[in-house]
Amino acid sequence: MTPTENTTTRNTNTTNTTTAAENSQKTVLRSSLGVLTTATATHGTGRDGDIPLPRLPGFVESAFSPLAYEAARQCLAERPGERSRTAVALASTAGDTTTADLASRRMVSGRVHNPLLFMQATPNSVLGYLSREFGITGQMFSLSTLDDPLTELLSMADLLLEDPEVDRVLAVGVELGGSERLAAVYEELADGRGHPAPALPADAGLAAAVLLGRPGNGTPVSIRSAEAYENEPENDSGTDTGTRAHLGDIQSLFDLAAAHQRLLQEGGSHLLVTGSRAPAFLLTADTEAKTDARNETETHAHQ
């Protein structure tokens, strides 16, 4: 199995010379996006809703690809749409570190190399599998970022939806638990900025996915850039103001998924903040589209 030929890796680990204040003034989204659906998948984290690690043919040992696939699968099953007009973007800080760590340990110890580990160490591998299983022929990207993954994914989706041949973008974020070696890598990447390694068991993982389009056409919730939120934690009931705990943290994607579900039920709006003096996003429910989306979801549930 090989990744699709139109898969591209985009690395955003470039030297960051902008200040936090400058970054907070940046408009992430040039246009509003529509949130079609969201999904999450966690394994071994101790959270409510943890699932057994899904079995994914050709992928072994690591939670990275199975969880990424599971979150993506849920979104595509709920809102099938036109998959030839669907693009995919997958974000993480360091990719499948479990596989990379295992492969290097085997090599150093003189053990026989496992070709599966070489293949799956590239995040694009699971995108190729996803493309084959769901018939997705749109562009596919892997993003590596030191910034908030949600912000990077929304920015990428906004750009991809400028293409007249793309109607939807499936954005997926993945975070894995860490070993001592991963902690050392994150410490070096943080470069004294105070972001610790993921506080997760070594075999744990989290993934979240959001299917995006442009507002209208049955999108029950829209999202647009808002002014940066400059206060530290606590908030009112319509605002998330938590800061990122560490590099690679995808909690903002989970916050988006939770806000999306709440708006589908209750309507209204919600301010989602990715960190102190960081980009913020305003989610707003479309009452008419919300009803249509709920009916469509119920129809799929009964089939």
Side-chain angles (χ1 to χ4, degrees):
M1 177 181 62
T2 58
T4 53
E5 292 182 359
N6 62 344
T7 300
T8 304
T9 299
R10 170 184 165 191
N11 191 321
T12 59
N13 290 344
T14 54
T15 302
N16 185 2
T17 58
T18 59
T19 65
E22 290 171 335
N23 187 55
S24 69
Q25 300 301 317
K26 175 174 70 173
T27 299
V28 175
L29 302 180
R30 293 168 295 178
S31 303
S32 295
L33 301 175
V35 182
L36 292 162
T37 189
T38 60
T40 61
T42 65
H43 169 74
T45 66
R47 298 185 179 195
D48 292 339
D50 269 359
I51 62 173
L53 192 62
R55 298 189 63 181
L56 199 62
F59 295 85
V60 296
E61 302 292 346
S62 174
F64 186 95
S65 293
L67 291 179
Y69 178 84
E70 176 59 21
R73 182 198 64 78
Q74 292 179 45
C75 285
L76 294 172
E78 183 171 332
R79 300 296 292 265
E82 180 53 64
R83 292 165 184 175
S84 65
R85 299 180 63 85
T86 299
V88 183
L90 171 66
S92 64
T93 294
D96 189 349
T97 52
T98 299
T99 295
D101 192 27
L102 177 60
S104 63
R105 288 181 183 277
R106 289 176 63 94
M107 181 180 66
V108 169
S109 66
R111 300 174 65 186
V112 175
H113 181 64
N114 184 339
L116 285 179
L117 300 182
F118 175 79
M119 179 277 297
Q120 74 178 36
T122 305
N124 290 350
S125 295
V126 71
L127 298 185
Y129 186 89
L130 184 73
S131 171
R132 187 186 70 181
E133 291 297 300
F134 287 94
I136 296 174
T137 56
Q139 299 179 70
M140 292 189 164
F141 295 86
S142 293
L143 312 181
S144 174
T145 178
L146 298 180
D147 295 323
D148 175 61
L150 173 62
T151 301
E152 290 293 327
L153 287 169
L154 291 178
S155 178
M156 174 60 84
D158 189 26
L159 178 62
L160 288 171
L161 287 167
E162 293 295 317
D163 186 339
E165 296 185 357
V166 175
D167 291 334
R168 311 187 309 168
V169 177
L170 178 63
V172 185
V174 185
E175 176 186 352
L176 295 181
S179 62
E180 291 183 4
R181 298 180 75 196
L182 180 60
V185 170
Y186 275 5
E187 183 177 354
E188 182 172 341
L189 289 174
D191 192 26
R193 285 181 288 179
H195 295 294
L200 293 170
D203 61 347
L206 309 93
V210 53
L211 188 60
L212 300 159
R214 290 298 184 194
N217 299 320
T219 54
V221 175
S222 64
I223 182 170
R224 64 175 177 83
S225 287
E227 292 185 5
Y229 195 85
E230 299 204 6
N231 290 344
E232 294 294 341
E234 253 345 272
N235 51 39
D236 58 37
S237 59
T239 307
D240 286 326
T241 60
T243 57
R244 292 176 65 208
H246 52 260
L247 290 174
D249 186 8
I250 63 168
Q251 183 57 45
S252 55
L253 276 161
F254 278 76
D255 292 340
L256 172 60
H260 173 254
Q261 292 301 317
R262 183 161 63 250
L263 291 175
L264 287 179
Q265 297 298 322
E266 303 173 4
S269 61
H270 181 92
L271 181 64
L272 177 64
V273 181
T274 61
S276 177
R277 295 195 301 174
F281 304 95
L282 183 66
L283 288 82
T284 305
D286 180 328
T287 305
E288 183 175 342
K290 180 180 70 174
T291 301
D292 293 341
R294 183 181 296 120
N295 291 339
E296 181 178 346
T297 300
E298 291 175 352
T299 299
H300 283 297
H302 288 299
Q303 288 178 346

